Amino acid sequence: MQAAHYEFPDAVIQIFCKAPVAGQVKTRLMPQLSAEQAAAVHQQLSLRTFALVSSLKLCPVQLWCAPSIQHPFFIKAAEDYSLSLYTQANGDLGERMDSALKTGLKNFAKVLLIGSDCPSFTAEDFITALRALSTDNDLVIAPTEDGGYSLIGLKSPQPELFKDIPWSSAAVFTRTLAKLTALGLQAVELRTQWDVDTHADYVRYLQG
C-alpha cells in the first residue's frame, strides 16, 4: 500500500509482542489456566490488536518481536495483517522501547508504541493519539488501570523517559509523569486502558 493511502503517512505504529511460547507468556494467568491455555490467550489478544490496528490504515504498522522474528506466529501475522517485522533489542523493557522508538523516528515524524494485550483499545484511541502528535505536543501516553501505560507516542527520541523506571510495577506511570515534568515535555494523557495480566483480567475480557 502506498503512503498516500494512509491518513497519517508520516507516522508509524509499533506493536511489542512476545512469541506465544507456553510457559513464557501470560504466566500470571496460571495456575487457573495451563501454560498452553495462557499462551493461547496471549495469541488471541495479540491477533485482536494486529487486526484492529492494521484495519484502520492510519499509517504503516511494525511488529516488534521477542525473542526474534523467526517464530511462525510472527511470520503468518506479518502476511495476514501487512506488518513489518523487527526484533526487539536486548535489555530491560525501557531499553527495548527506547531502541524501537529511535528506529521508528529515523524514518517517520511520529511513532506510537503499544502493547499487544490491551483489549480496551479502540480505533478512536489511535486516531486521537496521532492527532495529538500532529500538534505542538511532544508526547502522548495512555495509562493503564494497574499503574503502567499501554501506549506512548513520541516525535523525537526521549531516552531519559525509559531509564530508572520500575517496570512491571504499579509505579511506572507516576514515575514516567515525574520524568515528563522534569524534562519539560508537553504531554497529552489519553484515556485509561486496561490489559490482561491476571486471571481476573482474563475473566473481565471474556465478559466483554
Side-chain angles (χ1 to χ4, degrees):
M1 179 176 296
Q2 296 179 351
H5 293 147
Y6 291 122
E7 187 174 345
F8 299 92
D10 63 340
V12 64
I13 295 176
Q14 300 177 330
I15 305 171
F16 259 36
C17 189
K18 293 180 181 177
V21 179
Q24 295 182 18
V25 291
K26 295 295 165 210
T27 53
R28 290 169 64 191
L29 298 181
M30 297 147 57
Q32 291 94 336
L33 301 184
S34 70
E36 290 75 19
Q37 288 171 324
V41 172
H42 170 75
Q43 185 165 319
Q44 182 182 26
L45 289 166
S46 299
L47 290 174
R48 182 194 181 280
T49 302
F50 304 163
L52 172 62
V53 176
S54 64
S55 69
L56 300 175
K57 296 182 173 52
L58 295 174
C59 61
V61 182
Q62 300 174 348
L63 181 58
W64 283 77
C65 311
S68 79
I69 63 174
Q70 303 302 326
H71 195 282
F73 173 70
F74 295 140
I75 294 169
K76 187 172 192 313
E79 295 174 355
D80 290 348
Y81 301 104
S82 299
L83 310 174
S84 302
L85 298 183
Y86 294 78
T87 299
Q88 292 181 30
N90 295 322
D92 67 17
L93 179 59
E95 291 169 321
R96 289 182 280 129
M97 292 169 66
D98 181 47
S99 177
L101 287 161
K102 284 176 177 173
T103 299
L105 287 165
K106 290 176 183 176
N107 297 306
F108 297 92
K110 41 188 175 275
V111 181
L112 291 186
L113 175 59
I114 66 171
S116 60
D117 61 351
C118 185
S120 57
F121 277 143
T122 65
E124 195 59 37
D125 292 320
F126 303 118
I127 295 169
T128 300
L130 289 168
R131 284 179 178 163
L133 283 180
S134 299
T135 61
D136 292 336
N137 301 298
D138 300 305
L139 181 142
V140 293
I141 191 167
T144 49
E145 293 177 3
D146 62 7
Y149 59 84
S150 55
L151 175 154
I152 188 165
L154 301 175
K155 293 195 288 191
S156 63
Q158 302 291 344
E160 289 300 318
L161 275 184
F162 306 101
K163 294 178 181 175
D164 304 317
I165 300 290
W167 302 109
S168 301
S169 79
V172 169
F173 187 66
T174 53
R175 287 281 286 273
T176 301
L177 285 185
K179 291 230 177 191
L180 291 174
T181 302
L183 293 167
L185 295 174
Q186 182 70 35
V188 173
E189 184 176 330
L190 304 174
R191 74 183 184 95
T192 301
Q193 307 283 344
W194 62 276
D195 45 27
V196 176
D197 289 322
T198 67
H199 189 259
D201 297 330
Y202 177 56
V203 172
R204 177 180 180 181
Y205 168 62
L206 289 179
Q207 292 172 342

